[in-house]
């Protein structure tokens, strides 16, 4: 105890402690910057995957209306874009929503597509994922179903007329 007390009372000891605290503050600031960059990179990666899935669905209007085929094609494209294995199940980790037959007015007013409209030729794919900041922190089991981030891809297909 006497050595620790004499170390802290000396100028060299105080300088070491000040340096340690300064390094800790710098590390915390750097960790914050790294988290912001990681979050932006993940959001951009998912956004590109959602757009790619919407684009591929827009080029396949023959499967519109068949929810299973739409989700299967969207998941296949997302797996390819994100370089995931073929066995990866999109629905187990994320929520993937596919809206086909969307018109620009639906997008503007945030309404559901009208099944009677045949001129609506836009596709919207949304990928929702739980993105907790500081991902090394454990997540509560109650929050697993909550989508904290959503990436949206919109593409225009060929007219259905």
């Amino acid at each position: 105890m006497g050595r620790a007390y004499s170390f802290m009372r000396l100028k060299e000891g105080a300088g070491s402690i000040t340096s340690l605290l300064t390094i800790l503050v710098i590390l915390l600031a750097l960790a914050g910057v790294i988290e912001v960059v990681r979050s932006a990179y993940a959001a951009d990666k998912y956004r590109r995957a959602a757009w790619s899935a919407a684009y591929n669905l827009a080029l396949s209007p023959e499967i519109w209306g068949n929810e299973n085929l739409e989700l299967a094609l969207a998941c296949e494209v997302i797996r390819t874009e994100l370089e995931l294995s073929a066995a990866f199940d999109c629905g187990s980790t994320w929520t993937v929503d596919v809206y086909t037959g969307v018109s620009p007015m639906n997008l503007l007013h945030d309404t559901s597509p009208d099944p009677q409209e045949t001129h609506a030729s836009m596709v919207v794919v949304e990928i929702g994922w739980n993105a907790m900041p500081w991902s090394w922190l454990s997540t509560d089991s109650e929050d697993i179903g909550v989508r904290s981030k959503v990436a949206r891809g919109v593409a225009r297909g060929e007219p259905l007329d």
Side-chain angles (χ1 to χ4, degrees), residues 37-105:
V37 170
R38 187 196 63 81
S39 177
Y41 174 74
D44 182 59
K45 181 175 65 168
Y46 286 119
R47 183 196 53 78
R48 283 185 284 116
W51 178 84
S52 183
Y55 180 75
N56 278 285
L57 280 164
L59 293 176
S60 305
E62 66 277 359
I63 66 169
W64 290 8
N66 186 335
E67 187 177 330
N68 292 333
L69 289 176
E70 290 173 354
L71 287 174
L73 179 60
C75 189
E76 179 184 337
V77 172
I78 291 168
R79 279 193 307 255
T80 303
E81 185 71 26
L82 298 178
E83 299 176 356
L84 299 170
S85 70
F88 182 80
D89 180 24
C90 297
S92 66
T93 306
W94 315 308
T95 57
V96 178
D97 297 319
V98 176
Y99 305 100
T100 55
V102 179
S103 71
M105 292 307 289

Side-chain angles (χ1 to χ4, degrees), residues 130-147:
N130 189 10
M132 300 255 330
W134 310 102
S135 59
W136 46 269
L137 294 175
S138 64
T139 58
D140 295 334
S141 60
E142 301 163 359
D143 297 334
I144 296 300
V146 177
R147 297 182 341 169

Side-chain angles (χ1 to χ4, degrees), residues 94-156:
W94 315 308
T95 57
V96 178
D97 297 319
V98 176
Y99 305 100
T100 55
V102 179
S103 71
M105 292 307 289
N106 295 129
L107 291 175
L108 182 63
H109 299 296
D110 197 26
T111 58
S112 298
D114 183 6
Q116 304 303 320
E117 291 187 59
T118 58
H119 67 279
S121 61
M122 297 181 82
V123 177
V124 177
V125 174
E126 293 179 345
I127 304 172
W129 73 98
N130 189 10
M132 300 255 330
W134 310 102
S135 59
W136 46 269
L137 294 175
S138 64
T139 58
D140 295 334
S141 60
E142 301 163 359
D143 297 334
I144 296 300
V146 177
R147 297 182 341 169
S148 63
K149 298 274 188 172
V150 176
R152 184 173 291 116
V154 179
R156 183 168 177 94

